[in-house]
């Protein structure tokens, strides 16, 4: 089987933690590698943003193909809609040049789903889409105040024209039904994965030493570390966490480390620093910028608690990486976090977007080391089923079923 994976607006090899690089990049890279390992020929297509990158690169057993569509430089994803057709034409030219036939298209995020829709009709093959986020869902969750009419219109149409949708949670499948009238039969729920070889419990003292943090567990050098990781965006709710720090009962030995952000995070970073100043916790907050994915394990292992105060997460890879590392997670009760963090067993879910309840749970965990350890151990155990190979196996089955199934008349008769 040969699968074309479309990831138009961002490359699976892009550095993580920037404005547009996060869970989806991790997903595409791991799933491409795992599908390739199971014997599928996988070509991942992305828009070329740098003329110096080779047209075809190896990607852990798969191939990454750069397609020229629009200027060969970074563009904001809001500005890419005009290049979708050109991207689809570029993918088709590559296929024709290589004289390949694909059996299935797997597209990620609405821009690539739009391109995949055109290609699936042209090639008469099934199309499986993963939206990662949906405009109407974000608006409803008040995770965003404005979504472009082009995106909203395209998603409302595409959810019905693709053959199958992969959702990360039952909750997303439910939203597809409620908000878009998509039949649950056309939606496969496949949770995301975590690299269990990279993310597993490790000694805290070693990790702290590696980061230059105090390693003493008791006494004057003792430090409580709260970690937050993600793109530096209002959506991530880091301001709530900074305010929570100020509301903690015992905050003398607490350090909040915030990982993530690139040059384009400057405005939000300045806002967060101003919040820290305003509530008097600047000394206790460190912004360390983006950390390469391979180094993140050290940060998780150094932490006592990982906080995910997001306004919305369709899945939330950071939470499962932290849990797999044996660290309890205090998270907002939103989206995918409700199906990964077990409230009271592996962390806490906070239903209100306000600092007080976050402060309360952080205090509780810092006051009670044995509770923290018990939650951490349960957290690591709870993540055992979440491997990328398991994700790829479910996707593999779905691909096989779709390739074997006769094409719906609407597609077979068109184009
Ligand atoms: N990440 C990283 N380095 C950073 C910031 C984030 O490697 O500096 C990774 C993080 O480990 C996770 C992903 O980016 O795998 C973020 O995914 P998540 O689902 O939490 O959030 P999204 O970016 O999809 O909103």
């Amino acid at each position: 089987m040969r699968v074309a994976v479309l990831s138009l607006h961002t490359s699976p090899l892009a550095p993580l933690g920037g404005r547009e690089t996060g869970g989806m990049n991790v997903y595409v890279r791991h799933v491409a590698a795992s599908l390739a390992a199971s014997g599928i020929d996988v070509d991942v297509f992305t828009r070329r943003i740098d003329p110096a990158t080779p047209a075809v690169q190896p990607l852990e057993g798969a191939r990454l193909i750069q397609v020229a569509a629009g200027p060969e430089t970074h563009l904001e994803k809001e500005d890419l809609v005009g290049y979708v057709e050109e991207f689809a034409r570029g993918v088709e030219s590559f296929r024709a040049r290589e004289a390949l036939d694909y059996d299935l298209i797997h597209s990620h995020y609405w821009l690539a789903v739009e391109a995949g829709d055109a290609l699936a009709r042209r090639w008469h093959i099934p199309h499986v889409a993963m939206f990662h986020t949906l405009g109407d869902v974000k608006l409803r969750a008040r995770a965003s105040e404005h979504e472009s009419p082009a995106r909203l219109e395209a998603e409302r149409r595409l959810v019905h024209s693709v053959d199958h949708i992969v959702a990360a949670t039952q909750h997303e499948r439910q939203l597809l039904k409620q908000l878009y009238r998509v039949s649950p039969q056309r939606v496969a729920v496949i949770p995301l994965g975590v690299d269990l070889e990279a993310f597993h419990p490790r000694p805290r003292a070693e990790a702290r030493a590696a980061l230059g943090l105090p390693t003493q567990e008791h006494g004057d050098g003792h430090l409580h570390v709260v970690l937050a990781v993600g793109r530096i965006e209002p959506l991530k709710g880091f301001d709530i966490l900074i305010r929570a720090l100020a509301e903690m009962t015992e905050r003398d030995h607490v350090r909040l480390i915030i990982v993530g952000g690139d040059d384009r995070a400057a405005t939000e970073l300045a806002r967060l620093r101003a919040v820290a100043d305003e509530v008097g916790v600047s000394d206790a907050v460190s912004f360390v910028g983006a950390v390469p994915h391979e180094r993140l394990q050290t940060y998780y292992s150094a932490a006592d608690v990982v906080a995910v105060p997001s306004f919305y997460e369709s899945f939330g890879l950071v939470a499962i990486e932290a849990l797999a590392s044996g660290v309890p997670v205090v998270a907002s009760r939103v989206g995918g976090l409700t199906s990964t963090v077990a409230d009271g067993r592996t962390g806490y879910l906070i239903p209100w977007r306000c600092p007080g309840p976050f402060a309360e749970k952080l205090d509780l965990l810092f006051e009670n080391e044995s509770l923290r350890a018990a939650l951490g151990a349960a957290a690591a155990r709870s993540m055992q089923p979440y491997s990328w190979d398991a994700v790829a196996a479910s996707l593999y089955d779905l691909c096989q079923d779709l390739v074997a199934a006769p094409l719906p008349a609407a597609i077979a008769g068109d184009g």
Side-chain angles (χ1 to χ4, degrees):
M1 195 185 334
R2 191 181 292 278
V3 174
V5 175
L6 309 183
S7 174
L8 188 156
H9 78 279
T10 179
S11 159
L13 292 184
L16 300 176
R19 178 168 174 258
E20 276 143 21
T21 54
M24 183 182 131
N25 308 66
V26 175
Y27 186 95
V28 172
R29 197 180 93 209
H30 281 286
V31 166
S34 293
L35 284 178
S38 59
I40 296 187
D41 286 322
V42 181
D43 285 342
V44 180
F45 293 89
T46 192
R47 194 183 78 85
R48 175 185 283 282
I49 61 163
D50 176 1
T53 346
V56 180
Q57 287 167 274
L59 181 73
E60 299 174 42
R63 298 194 296 179
L64 177 64
I65 294 137
Q66 310 277 337
V67 174
E72 295 190 359
T73 177
H74 176 82
L75 294 178
E76 299 297 331
K77 58 181 190 277
E78 293 75 15
D79 298 328
L80 287 174
V81 60
Y83 301 111
V84 169
E85 270 182 50
E86 193 180 342
F87 179 80
R89 281 199 300 278
V91 176
E92 162 55 12
S93 304
F94 177 86
R95 186 207 64 76
R97 259 198 322 278
E98 298 249 322
L100 297 174
D101 280 322
Y102 291 101
D103 299 295
L104 183 128
I105 295 172
H106 185 20
S107 58
H108 295 272
Y109 193 71
W110 75 271
L111 294 162
V113 182
E114 183 84 283
D117 199 51
L119 289 166
R121 284 166 194 281
R122 184 177 180 125
W123 297 343
H124 303 294
I125 59 173
H127 179 195
V128 180
M130 192 156 176
F131 286 89
H132 295 268
T133 61
L134 284 155
D136 283 310
V137 172
K138 283 180 83 179
L139 288 174
R140 200 183 96 130
R142 301 220 203 114
S144 134
E145 281 162 16
H146 174 78
E147 292 297 330
S148 76
R151 174 184 187 173
L152 294 171
E153 177 283 317
E155 287 177 342
R156 290 170 192 159
R157 172 171 43 79
L158 291 166
V159 290
H160 296 286
S161 65
V162 300
D163 295 277
H164 223 82
I165 297 175
V166 173
T169 58
Q170 286 293 352
H171 174 69
E172 196 182 330
R173 169 146 73 176
Q174 192 58 29
L175 288 170
L176 279 159
K177 182 169 174 235
Q178 269 173 16
L179 300 180
Y180 296 85
R181 305 264 158 246
V182 174
S183 156
Q185 286 171 337
R186 293 183 46 251
V187 183
V189 176
I190 306 180
L192 272 61
V194 57
D195 181 349
L196 295 170
E197 274 173 35
F199 300 108
H200 56 82
R202 289 189 207 183
R204 184 165 48 191
E206 273 173 34
R208 289 196 177 180
L211 297 179
L213 295 169
T215 52
Q216 225 175 307
E217 290 292 312
H218 301 285
D220 285 349
H222 179 52
L223 188 70
H224 288 312
V225 176
V226 185
L227 175 70
V229 178
R231 293 174 291 118
I232 303 294
E233 280 211 352
L235 174 78
K236 296 288 175 184
F238 294 145
D239 51 342
I240 297 175
L241 193 56
I242 294 171
R243 289 183 191 280
L245 216 59
E247 292 194 19
M248 288 178 70
T249 321
E250 183 53 74
R251 43 181 259 231
D252 285 350
H253 301 288
V254 177
R255 171 89 57 90
L256 167 62
I257 300 179
I258 299 185
V259 167
D262 59 7
D263 314 346
R264 288 177 302 145
T267 312
E268 176 62 5
L269 211 51
R271 187 180 77 92
L272 293 175
R273 284 189 203 281
V275 172
D277 272 345
E278 177 200 325
V279 297
V281 295
S282 299
D283 292 349
V285 185
S286 316
F287 295 96
V288 297
V291 168
H293 199 55
E294 311 69 60
R295 282 208 68 215
L296 260 187
Q297 169 67 57
T298 312
Y299 282 83
Y300 290 126
S301 301
D304 295 289
V305 182
V306 169
V308 187
S310 306
F311 284 79
Y312 192 73
E313 289 288 345
S314 27
F315 191 74
L317 280 184
V318 163
I320 67 171
E321 290 163 0
L323 295 169
S325 305
V327 184
V329 172
V330 178
S332 314
R333 188 190 286 276
V334 293
L337 297 170
T338 59
S339 51
T340 52
V341 179
D343 193 24
R345 282 198 301 116
T346 64
Y348 294 104
L349 289 168
I350 311 286
W352 305 279
R353 287 168 187 166
C354 52
F358 277 91
E360 193 187 306
K361 294 304 181 198
L362 293 175
D363 272 330
L364 176 70
L365 287 167
F366 289 145
E367 278 159 16
N368 195 332
E369 174 64 22
S370 57
L371 172 70
R372 203 200 60 74
L375 262 58
R381 279 197 304 276
S382 75
M383 285 298 115
Q384 290 309 309
Y386 285 79
S387 74
W388 287 111
D389 284 345
V391 178
S394 304
L395 257 179
Y396 184 93
D397 290 345
L398 177 65
C399 295
Q400 294 281 11
D401 289 350
L402 287 168
V403 169
L407 279 177
I411 294 184
D414 188 354

